[in-house]
Amino acid sequence: MVVLFLSIIAGCSNRIVNEEQKINVQKRIHDENNYKDFKVISDNDEVQKVQEIVFDTEWENAKVQMESPADYRFIFQYKNPNIEAKVVSYKLWISPNNDVVEIVMKDDAYAILNKENSSILIEILAGENLPN
C-alpha cells in the first residue's frame, strides 16, 4: 500500500514539474543576426520530446564558426520557483541540404542530429517539415 501511494505521488510530482516547463523559440529575421519571438511551446509532450532529443545528444566540446547566424534560438524555461535551473540557450541551424539540423549549446558544445531527430525537432520548434 505504501509503495502504491509513493508511486502515485512520484508520478504526480513529475507531472507537475513537466507542466511548469516551456520552450521559448526565436526565429532569425532575414540574413541578419536579429531575432524575433516566434513561438512558445508549452505542450507537455512536445517539451518532453525536445528535452529527450537535446539531452540525449552526444555533444562535442568545440567552438564552431558557422557561415551564417542561427536559423532559430531556443531556451527551456521553468516556471516553478522551486526549481533552480540555469537558463541554457541553444542555437539551431538547418543544414544547407535541409536534411539535418546542427545545434550549438552555450557557444562551446556542438552537435549534428540524425535525420529522424532533426525532423522531429524542427517540426516541434519551427512547424516545418524537413525533406525525407
Side-chain angles (χ1 to χ4, degrees):
M1 184 69 151
V2 172
V3 173
L4 178 62
F5 177 73
L6 292 176
S7 296
I8 292 172
I9 288 177
C12 290
S13 67
N14 285 342
R15 183 99 173 125
I16 290 169
V17 169
N18 288 340
E19 287 177 357
E20 297 295 325
Q21 298 177 35
K22 64 181 179 179
I23 303 171
N24 288 339
V25 182
Q26 293 182 322
K27 184 175 183 173
R28 187 181 76 217
I29 301 170
H30 309 292
D31 290 333
E32 302 170 23
N33 195 16
N34 294 322
Y35 293 83
K36 67 175 182 175
D37 291 337
F38 180 64
K39 72 191 269 190
V40 175
I41 300 165
S42 55
D43 178 86
N44 211 25
D45 293 333
E46 290 181 339
V47 170
Q48 198 164 22
K49 188 63 182 172
V50 171
Q51 282 180 333
E52 287 173 15
I53 291 170
V54 171
F55 297 160
D56 291 342
T57 293
E58 291 187 33
W59 294 92
E60 294 179 35
N61 290 328
K63 290 189 181 236
V64 294
Q65 178 107 15
M66 305 300 269
E67 290 183 25
S68 64
D71 296 308
Y72 295 91
R73 299 188 308 197
F74 64 98
I75 61 168
F76 294 97
Q77 273 197 318
Y78 302 90
K79 295 188 280 184
N80 187 335
N82 297 324
I83 296 176
E84 291 185 29
K86 295 187 297 185
V87 174
V88 178
S89 64
Y90 297 86
K91 298 176 185 173
L92 181 145
W93 287 261
I94 300 172
S95 72
N97 294 334
N98 291 321
D99 59 345
V100 294
V101 298
E102 299 173 71
I103 301 178
V104 171
M105 173 179 56
K106 298 188 294 186
D107 291 331
D108 61 359
Y110 171 78
I112 297 176
L113 301 182
N114 63 35
K115 288 183 179 186
E116 179 184 355
N117 283 342
S118 293
S119 182
I120 293 167
L121 194 65
I122 203 67
E123 185 177 323
I124 293 172
L125 294 177
E128 296 181 25
N129 293 317
L130 295 177
N132 292 331

